[in-house]
Amino acid sequence: MRSVWSGNLAFGLVSIPVKLGSAVSSHKISFRQVHLTDQGRVRYQKTCELDEEVLTAADIGRAYETPDEQLVEITDADLRALPLPTAKTIEVSGFLDAASVDAMQLDTPYFLAPASPAANKPYVLMREALARAGKAAVGKFAMRNSEHLALIRAHDDVLLLQTLRWPDELNSPAEAAPKGSVSISDSELKLADTLISALGEADLTSYHDEYAQAVEALVTAKLEGSELPAAEQAGPGKVVDLMAALRASVEQAKGGRGEGAGSGTSGASGASGASGDSATDEAADGDDRTGHASVTELKSSRRSGAKKTAAGKKATASKSSGMRSGGTGSSGTGSSGTRSAGAKSASAKSAGTKSTASKTAAAKGGTSKAGARKTAATKKTAAAKKTAASRRKAG
């Protein structure tokens, strides 16, 4: 581990010699600036603005510019001689729960390592004490011409130091917050909860830098003279119905995990059950046939089904009423003979109705046959006339 700072970690009266090394590395793609005409690299030269002389590192020093534009030269020796305890010591001044630190305040992580074998025991002691207490130590140290606030906690077998931004360096989030009043229903929140559950836990080890890979593929293609990778064209953004989008997202997430469509919407159905909004009910239910329908279409479908059901109920009620009416009339006489006569009368009426219907059908059939015969005769007459006319012309 390359050391970027060395000093002592002061833990009460215990002093632990430590060295600081970077805990992270970057695979950011770096590009060179080149002259387009001949591909020559572009270099920057430092020059003096007074005499335009090109300077080397040995010619350059540092100075502090005051508000009235006076320059005060500051040497490395001056900085080393500063009466600042944190220049060589990280003084632990308190402890807190690591989870209580605002994520905005976290900055660069470093590994703290014992600087000598003699430092191993106090180093492990502090690591184990922090782990058992579930706490992180807070202190300050100076590095690279500035003082830093630091958070030190146990991380596996090492002590991890993470620099913190000073509290007054954090900007207010007020300007980034949505303006105006935004209303979110319980059904929308519950469906969003269902989507979070459907997507599952994220595995950070499965993520990788696709941009770096794409740039490497581009460079390889240019070197080999092969076809360049095609770029994916993103469609224009559009405003969608929030509930329909959440519903479709849940279905997609469940489908990606190989779960059935019905099982993927049980939570959504529960969410919609808490609301009286029929559109929400339809957007959150488990019916695959309406999985991707819009809320308007779902409303229309429900109204149509309701109308058909109402019509069916009316027809059933009408038949039932007729049956009840007939039954009451026959039973009101109190005589079985009368009921039998009523039945015979009904049978006679039915027979008369059937007979009338048969006669009507027969009449229609006869009329239809007569019309067919007339049409056939007319066609034969026309054909005969055409034949006679053809013979006269031929003669």
Side-chain angles (χ1 to χ4, degrees):
M1 181 183 75
R2 187 176 69 87
S3 175
V4 296
W5 182 91
S6 61
N8 296 311
L9 174 59
F11 178 34
L13 297 178
V14 178
S15 183
I16 311 169
V18 292
K19 55 185 179 180
L20 205 63
S22 180
V24 296
S25 59
S26 174
H27 45 66
K28 180 180 178 181
I29 299 295
S30 298
F31 295 101
R32 299 286 187 184
Q33 290 187 326
V34 297
H35 185 196
L36 292 177
T37 302
D38 55 15
Q39 299 297 298
R41 286 180 58 182
V42 177
R43 296 187 179 277
Y44 293 92
Q45 292 181 327
K46 296 183 178 181
T47 61
C48 176
E49 66 176 11
L50 297 179
D51 57 17
E52 298 184 355
E53 179 183 353
V54 177
L55 305 177
T56 64
D59 300 323
I60 300 172
R62 66 169 61 87
Y64 178 84
E65 184 175 3
T66 63
D68 58 356
E69 298 184 353
Q70 294 186 51
L71 294 176
V72 180
E73 186 176 350
I74 304 294
T75 66
D76 291 340
D78 292 334
L79 293 176
R80 285 193 296 269
L82 284 175
L84 195 63
T86 56
K88 281 294 181 182
T89 303
I90 304 172
E91 183 72 41
V92 173
S93 55
F95 301 87
L96 50 71
D97 292 327
S100 67
V101 179
D102 190 340
M104 287 178 58
Q105 204 166 352
L106 298 175
D107 204 349
T108 309
Y110 296 92
F111 288 135
L112 270 177
S116 65
N120 287 345
K121 186 169 184 177
Y123 179 93
V124 172
L125 172 63
M126 184 172 187
R127 184 194 69 197
E128 293 301 308
L130 290 176
R132 284 166 59 90
K135 298 288 186 178
V138 178
K140 297 192 301 180
F141 74 107
M143 179 179 70
R144 296 172 179 168
N145 303 326
S146 60
E147 192 172 56
H148 301 272
L149 186 62
L151 190 73
I152 303 166
R153 54 187 165 181
H155 180 77
D156 296 334
D157 293 334
V158 301
L159 287 173
L160 182 71
L161 181 148
Q162 192 153 15
T163 57
L164 303 175
R165 297 179 179 89
W166 298 98
D168 58 358
E169 292 180 328
L170 304 180
N171 295 329
S172 171
E175 293 184 2
K179 301 298 186 290
S181 177
V182 180
S183 177
I184 301 295
S185 68
D186 289 341
S187 298
E188 290 168 332
L189 282 173
K190 289 180 180 179
L191 195 51
D193 291 340
T194 302
L195 177 57
I196 291 173
S197 177
L199 290 174
E201 294 292 328
D203 179 11
L204 293 181
T205 61
S206 66
Y207 291 81
H208 56 276
D209 188 349
E210 295 182 0
Y211 181 84
Q213 292 179 352
V215 172
E216 291 173 359
L218 175 64
V219 171
T220 302
K222 283 181 171 287
L223 288 173
E224 296 176 350
S226 57
E227 184 178 353
L228 300 181
E232 294 183 3
Q233 298 296 330
K238 60 181 179 180
V239 178
V240 298
D241 182 272
L242 181 58
M243 290 299 294
L246 286 170
R247 172 66 172 77
S249 298
V250 171
E251 293 292 338
Q252 184 181 39
K254 289 293 186 181
R257 294 170 59 184
E259 298 183 16
S263 65
T265 57
S266 59
S269 298
S272 63
S275 171
D277 187 353
S278 63
T280 302
D281 291 344
E282 292 293 347
D285 70 9
D287 189 353
D288 291 337
R289 292 171 296 177
T290 59
H292 300 286
S294 67
V295 174
T296 303
E297 293 172 339
L298 295 171
K299 281 185 176 179
S300 176
S301 176
R302 172 166 281 191
R303 291 194 190 105
S304 177
K307 288 180 180 178
K308 290 180 180 179
T309 303
K313 288 181 178 179
K314 286 181 180 178
T316 304
S318 178
K319 290 180 180 179
S320 176
S321 176
M323 292 176 66
R324 286 195 299 270
S325 177
T328 303
S330 61
S331 62
T333 62
S335 169
S336 61
T338 304
R339 287 197 297 272
S340 177
K344 289 180 181 180
S345 176
S347 177
K349 288 181 180 179
S350 176
T353 302
K354 290 181 179 179
S355 176
T356 302
S358 298
K359 290 178 181 180
T360 302
K364 288 183 178 179
T367 302
S368 178
K369 290 179 180 179
R373 285 196 294 269
K374 288 181 180 180
T375 301
T378 301
K379 289 182 178 180
K380 287 181 180 180
T381 303
K385 287 180 180 181
K386 288 182 179 180
T387 304
S390 298
R391 288 177 179 175
R392 283 195 296 271
K393 288 180 181 180

